[in-house]
Amino acid sequence: MSCISNNVFITPAFTELFPLIETDVKQLRIQHASKKAEKKHLECLNDLDMTCLPANLQIWFKTFVSSIDSLLSELAVSEDCYSIGPTSRILATELANYAPAKTRRKSTQNKASIVFVDRTLDIGSSCTHQTETLFDRIASVFPRLPGHNNDVLIDMSSLCHVHKDASSTVLPGCLASFNGHNQQHLQPLLTNKVKEGLMEVNRQLVDIASKENLPLKLTGKPGRVTADQLENTLSLFKGKYDMILKHINTLQVSMAVFQLLKSQRQQQLDSLSGIEKLLIQGYSDETDPLEEIYRLIITESEKSTTERSCTLDDIFCLIMFVYSVYGTRIKSDKEEQVKAVLVKYVLREKNTLPPLTQQIVGDTINEEVVTAILDDAWQKFKAISSARNNLKQFSSVCEESALGPSQLMPILKQLINVMFDPSKPELPDVELKSSGFGDLLKSGFGLFRTVSKPRPSDHPLLIIFVVGGVTSTELKQIKDLCASLKLSSQVIVGSTRLIKPEDIVTSILCQDRINRV
């Protein structure tokens, strides 16, 4: 477990743990049929339980549950287990019936709720470029720190005496704390609005420069932070290695923000955000989003590389975004045309493919192979579009309004709103996993109809765990929503990792979610 902010943690050991999707059922059915055990009828994700999974995947799921149990032991709580989504249901059931967890629950009076949520139910909120935090912007611009899945690589060479011709010299910085424990320096990036985050990063940088009696030159307009301002203050630390080591956390964050503001990728991210807003506005107008994607591919493929407002990687992210947001409203009439122009685009750019597209299509690039790969990818896109089919309360992630354009309504925000609604509406999509006869009585089993059904908000501690990753924008939205509701309960958010749009597409199109090596 790694605590990255107040009331937020991730599980780096389970970075690749991702919910199963509908296209995985066929492979699981074949593998299950080869077992000597009692055969089960597997038609859809909801038919799955732990016994239907391959042995290696069962071990991984159980190891994850053991890890969550260790966390709950540290918190000294007795929890009710809830789930939303097929994979989360398997994990919640395993935790509810985990023998050490049952023993722990008998020895503590402190109550808590834990709700597991499948990331696949709302891919749109994690695949969007409409970010509200600096961290999500940085994650979309910077490469990953080698060997890591949550941190980024920051070039710190400008603070050191590096020869100007030594272009291969790399001094990797990162966002994680130097001492590995206190991550308070990340708060401006993770949970503040972009403008507020910029102001706070600049304030902290100026503060340490002032404490070191460096010759500060405060320029610029009040309330505005520019790349030049940050660069001027950062340059005061050049070659002063004792000071750099002393303030390394603040300097690395400041350097990341400075390089972000200078990045040309910023314009592309703004352009993608605008495209997504138009796609969401078309939700209530019954506009065909694939028609818009088709036009975008045609337009971008005709531009030179330097003039393009988005890359091939971005186009795959946009396709994933619309299939998740629109769900079963997607019309199949345009699919073949989109695939055809995408194949041509990939073949034309085969020598300069961006990283995600290269990973999707592989090394053998010809029309037949790329067409087959995209046919398979489209089956997975469709699986994502049907992920909410069985949900009643959270069947849509778009909020339509007669007074204005449609807006994205993340499922995590919807969940918190209904859980803490004073009127206590029914929660048909939130399943309580029973660990024994006592829990059945609590849920109103049998003749005990007067017993009110338990709710995740019943206890002073609520843990929401997103299986498959979460963005810092979602973390900020949850923090802001909890503050506006003035909750008496403490809400902790956990997830397998911090993600960006490319991570989601990789997990769905490229990752083998079934066969663990």
Side-chain angles (χ1 to χ4, degrees), residues 330-358:
I330 290 279
K331 301 172 184 176
S332 59
D333 303 355
K334 206 72 182 177
E335 284 180 347
E336 292 304 319
Q337 286 179 276
V338 173
K339 277 192 279 186
V341 294
L342 199 52
V343 168
K344 291 180 180 178
Y345 196 1
V346 170
L347 293 176
R348 187 184 308 166
E349 303 291 321
K350 65 179 180 180
N351 295 322
T352 57
L353 292 176
L356 174 59
T357 306
Q358 183 71 65

Side-chain angles (χ1 to χ4, degrees), residues 143-201:
R144 293 285 189 204
L145 186 67
H148 293 255
N149 293 294
N150 296 292
D151 211 340
V152 297
L153 186 149
I154 305 164
D155 183 6
M156 301 292 290
S157 60
S158 61
L159 293 189
C160 305
H161 290 302
V162 180
H163 194 279
K164 63 179 181 180
D165 294 328
S167 57
S168 61
T169 300
V170 177
L171 294 172
C174 63
L175 295 177
S177 171
F178 181 68
N179 60 25
H181 299 293
N182 190 348
Q183 305 291 348
Q184 281 299 118
H185 65 292
L186 294 180
Q187 299 314 301
L189 306 185
L190 285 168
T191 56
N192 287 9
K193 292 180 180 178
V194 172
K195 185 176 180 179
E196 293 172 358
L198 285 171
M199 295 292 292
E200 181 61 19
V201 168

Side-chain angles (χ1 to χ4, degrees), residues 275-298 315 317-335 337-339 341 378 381 385 398:
I275 292 169
E276 289 168 357
K277 287 177 181 177
L278 289 173
L279 290 168
I280 293 172
Q281 289 173 15
Y283 184 84
S284 55
D285 301 334
E286 296 189 0
T287 302
D288 185 357
L290 291 185
E291 177 67 38
E292 301 301 321
I293 297 290
Y294 175 78
R295 291 175 187 165
L296 178 67
I297 297 173
I298 294 293
I315 289 172
C317 292
L318 285 171
I319 294 171
M320 188 70 74
F321 174 80
V322 298
Y323 269 88
S324 175
V325 171
Y326 274 73
T328 51
R329 288 195 184 194
I330 290 279
K331 301 172 184 176
S332 59
D333 303 355
K334 206 72 182 177
E335 284 180 347
Q337 286 179 276
V338 173
K339 277 192 279 186
V341 294
W378 242 263
F381 289 142
S385 72
C398 250

Side-chain angles (χ1 to χ4, degrees), residues 187-254:
Q187 299 314 301
L189 306 185
L190 285 168
T191 56
N192 287 9
K193 292 180 180 178
V194 172
K195 185 176 180 179
E196 293 172 358
L198 285 171
M199 295 292 292
E200 181 61 19
V201 168
N202 185 59
R203 186 196 66 77
Q204 292 180 7
L205 180 61
V206 169
D207 186 48
I208 62 171
S210 178
K211 287 179 180 178
E212 296 295 345
N213 295 317
L214 295 175
L216 274 168
K217 294 181 181 179
L218 298 178
T219 59
K221 298 178 181 179
R224 184 182 177 188
V225 178
T226 65
D228 290 339
Q229 284 177 265
L230 291 172
E231 184 178 29
N232 290 337
T233 310
L234 283 166
S235 66
L236 299 176
F237 290 89
K238 183 169 183 176
K240 297 177 175 64
Y241 299 115
D242 289 340
M243 291 184 189
I244 291 173
L245 186 59
K246 182 179 177 182
H247 303 291
I248 187 65
N249 292 341
T250 301
L251 290 173
Q252 288 184 135
V253 167
S254 301

Side-chain angles (χ1 to χ4, degrees), residues 39-236:
K39 302 296 185 293
K40 293 186 178 181
H41 187 65
L42 305 180
E43 288 297 325
C44 65
L45 284 173
N46 286 332
D47 295 331
L48 299 178
D49 59 26
M50 187 69 84
T51 62
C52 302
L53 307 179
N56 285 350
L57 190 56
Q58 287 190 38
I59 292 171
W60 202 33
F61 277 17
K62 290 180 179 182
T63 304
F64 168 77
V65 166
S66 175
S67 179
I68 295 296
D69 176 64
S70 297
L71 170 67
L72 297 171
S73 296
E74 286 293 320
L75 296 173
V77 294
S78 171
E79 80 285 359
D80 291 336
C81 302
Y82 298 85
S83 67
I84 310 176
T87 301
S88 287
R89 186 185 69 249
I90 295 173
L91 296 172
T93 303
E94 185 66 21
L95 178 60
N97 296 290
Y98 186 52
K102 286 185 174 182
T103 303
R104 168 176 48 77
R105 293 181 196 117
K106 294 176 183 176
S107 62
T108 180
Q109 299 300 314
N110 301 319
K111 300 295 292 182
S113 299
I114 183 167
V115 184
F116 294 95
V117 183
D118 279 5
R119 174 77 273 174
T120 45
L121 299 177
D122 182 11
I123 293 296
S125 296
S126 59
C127 218
T128 180
H129 295 85
Q130 299 175 61
T131 53
E132 297 179 17
T133 66
L134 281 171
F135 186 92
D136 280 340
R137 284 257 163 173
I138 289 170
S140 292
V141 170
F142 289 72
R144 293 285 189 204
L145 186 67
H148 293 255
N149 293 294
N150 296 292
D151 211 340
V152 297
L153 186 149
I154 305 164
D155 183 6
M156 301 292 290
S157 60
S158 61
L159 293 189
C160 305
H161 290 302
V162 180
H163 194 279
K164 63 179 181 180
D165 294 328
S167 57
S168 61
T169 300
V170 177
L171 294 172
C174 63
L175 295 177
S177 171
F178 181 68
N179 60 25
H181 299 293
N182 190 348
Q183 305 291 348
Q184 281 299 118
H185 65 292
L186 294 180
Q187 299 314 301
L189 306 185
L190 285 168
T191 56
N192 287 9
K193 292 180 180 178
V194 172
K195 185 176 180 179
E196 293 172 358
L198 285 171
M199 295 292 292
E200 181 61 19
V201 168
N202 185 59
R203 186 196 66 77
Q204 292 180 7
L205 180 61
V206 169
D207 186 48
I208 62 171
S210 178
K211 287 179 180 178
E212 296 295 345
N213 295 317
L214 295 175
L216 274 168
K217 294 181 181 179
L218 298 178
T219 59
K221 298 178 181 179
R224 184 182 177 188
V225 178
T226 65
D228 290 339
Q229 284 177 265
L230 291 172
E231 184 178 29
N232 290 337
T233 310
L234 283 166
S235 66
L236 299 176

